[in-house]
Short mmCIF file of all heavy atoms in Angstrom, two decimals:
data_model
loop_
_atom_site.label_atom_id
_atom_site.label_comp_id
_atom_site.label_asym_id
_atom_site.label_seq_id
_atom_site.Cartn_x
_atom_site.Cartn_y
_atom_site.Cartn_z
N HIS A 76 2.14 -21.43 5.42
CA HIS A 76 2.86 -20.16 5.45
C HIS A 76 3.21 -19.77 6.88
O HIS A 76 2.41 -19.95 7.80
CB HIS A 76 2.02 -19.05 4.80
CG HIS A 76 1.80 -19.27 3.36
ND1 HIS A 76 0.58 -19.64 2.86
CD2 HIS A 76 2.65 -19.20 2.31
CE1 HIS A 76 0.67 -19.79 1.56
NE2 HIS A 76 1.91 -19.54 1.20
N VAL A 77 4.41 -19.27 7.05
CA VAL A 77 4.88 -18.72 8.32
C VAL A 77 5.05 -17.23 8.08
O VAL A 77 5.81 -16.82 7.21
CB VAL A 77 6.22 -19.34 8.76
CG1 VAL A 77 6.69 -18.74 10.07
CG2 VAL A 77 6.10 -20.86 8.85
N ILE A 78 4.32 -16.42 8.85
CA ILE A 78 4.35 -14.98 8.66
C ILE A 78 5.13 -14.37 9.83
O ILE A 78 4.71 -14.49 10.97
CB ILE A 78 2.93 -14.40 8.61
CG1 ILE A 78 2.13 -15.12 7.50
CG2 ILE A 78 2.97 -12.89 8.38
CD1 ILE A 78 0.65 -14.98 7.62
N ILE A 79 6.26 -13.76 9.53
CA ILE A 79 7.07 -13.09 10.53
C ILE A 79 6.79 -11.60 10.39
O ILE A 79 6.91 -11.04 9.30
CB ILE A 79 8.56 -13.41 10.34
CG1 ILE A 79 8.79 -14.92 10.49
CG2 ILE A 79 9.40 -12.63 11.35
CD1 ILE A 79 10.20 -15.37 10.25
N THR A 80 6.39 -10.98 11.50
CA THR A 80 5.89 -9.62 11.45
C THR A 80 6.70 -8.67 12.33
O THR A 80 7.11 -9.03 13.43
CB THR A 80 4.42 -9.59 11.94
OG1 THR A 80 3.67 -10.52 11.15
CG2 THR A 80 3.81 -8.21 11.80
N GLY A 81 6.89 -7.46 11.83
CA GLY A 81 7.58 -6.41 12.56
C GLY A 81 6.90 -5.07 12.35
O GLY A 81 5.89 -5.00 11.65
N PRO A 82 7.44 -4.01 12.91
CA PRO A 82 6.77 -2.70 12.83
C PRO A 82 6.71 -2.13 11.42
O PRO A 82 5.86 -1.31 11.13
CB PRO A 82 7.62 -1.81 13.74
CG PRO A 82 8.96 -2.46 13.74
CD PRO A 82 8.70 -3.94 13.63
N ASN A 83 7.57 -2.59 10.52
CA ASN A 83 7.58 -2.06 9.16
C ASN A 83 7.02 -3.03 8.14
O ASN A 83 7.13 -2.79 6.95
CB ASN A 83 9.00 -1.67 8.76
CG ASN A 83 9.50 -0.51 9.59
OD1 ASN A 83 8.73 0.37 9.93
ND2 ASN A 83 10.76 -0.53 9.95
N GLY A 84 6.45 -4.15 8.59
CA GLY A 84 5.88 -5.08 7.63
C GLY A 84 6.09 -6.52 8.01
O GLY A 84 6.50 -6.84 9.12
N SER A 85 5.79 -7.38 7.06
CA SER A 85 5.86 -8.82 7.28
C SER A 85 6.63 -9.50 6.17
O SER A 85 6.69 -9.00 5.05
CB SER A 85 4.45 -9.40 7.31
OG SER A 85 3.70 -8.86 8.36
N GLN A 86 7.19 -10.65 6.49
CA GLN A 86 7.84 -11.51 5.52
C GLN A 86 7.13 -12.85 5.59
O GLN A 86 6.96 -13.41 6.67
CB GLN A 86 9.33 -11.68 5.87
CG GLN A 86 10.07 -12.69 5.02
CD GLN A 86 10.43 -12.14 3.65
OE1 GLN A 86 10.63 -10.93 3.48
NE2 GLN A 86 10.56 -13.00 2.68
N VAL A 87 6.70 -13.39 4.46
CA VAL A 87 5.99 -14.66 4.41
C VAL A 87 6.96 -15.74 3.92
O VAL A 87 7.57 -15.60 2.86
CB VAL A 87 4.76 -14.60 3.48
CG1 VAL A 87 4.07 -15.95 3.43
CG2 VAL A 87 3.79 -13.51 3.95
N PHE A 88 7.11 -16.79 4.71
CA PHE A 88 7.91 -17.95 4.36
C PHE A 88 6.95 -19.09 4.05
O PHE A 88 5.89 -19.20 4.67
CB PHE A 88 8.79 -18.37 5.55
CG PHE A 88 9.85 -17.37 5.91
CD1 PHE A 88 9.53 -16.21 6.60
CD2 PHE A 88 11.17 -17.58 5.57
CE1 PHE A 88 10.49 -15.28 6.94
CE2 PHE A 88 12.15 -16.66 5.91
CZ PHE A 88 11.81 -15.51 6.60
N THR A 89 7.31 -19.97 3.12
CA THR A 89 6.50 -21.13 2.80
C THR A 89 7.18 -22.37 3.37
O THR A 89 8.36 -22.63 3.09
CB THR A 89 6.33 -21.28 1.28
OG1 THR A 89 5.73 -20.08 0.77
CG2 THR A 89 5.46 -22.48 0.94
N ARG A 90 6.43 -23.12 4.17
CA ARG A 90 6.97 -24.34 4.78
C ARG A 90 6.72 -25.53 3.87
O ARG A 90 5.61 -25.77 3.44
CB ARG A 90 6.31 -24.58 6.14
CG ARG A 90 6.92 -25.74 6.87
CD ARG A 90 6.33 -25.88 8.24
NE ARG A 90 6.97 -26.99 8.95
CZ ARG A 90 6.64 -27.37 10.14
NH1 ARG A 90 5.70 -26.73 10.81
NH2 ARG A 90 7.25 -28.38 10.71
N GLN A 91 7.81 -26.26 3.60
CA GLN A 91 7.73 -27.49 2.83
C GLN A 91 8.56 -28.53 3.57
O GLN A 91 9.78 -28.59 3.40
CB GLN A 91 8.22 -27.28 1.40
CG GLN A 91 7.34 -26.36 0.60
CD GLN A 91 7.73 -26.28 -0.85
OE1 GLN A 91 8.71 -26.87 -1.29
NE2 GLN A 91 6.95 -25.55 -1.62
#
Side-chain angles (χ1 to χ4, degrees):
H76 295 108
V77 179
I78 305 161
I79 299 177
T80 305
N83 294 324
S85 298
Q86 173 78 28
V87 179
F88 294 76
T89 302
R90 185 175 182 182
Q91 294 187 357

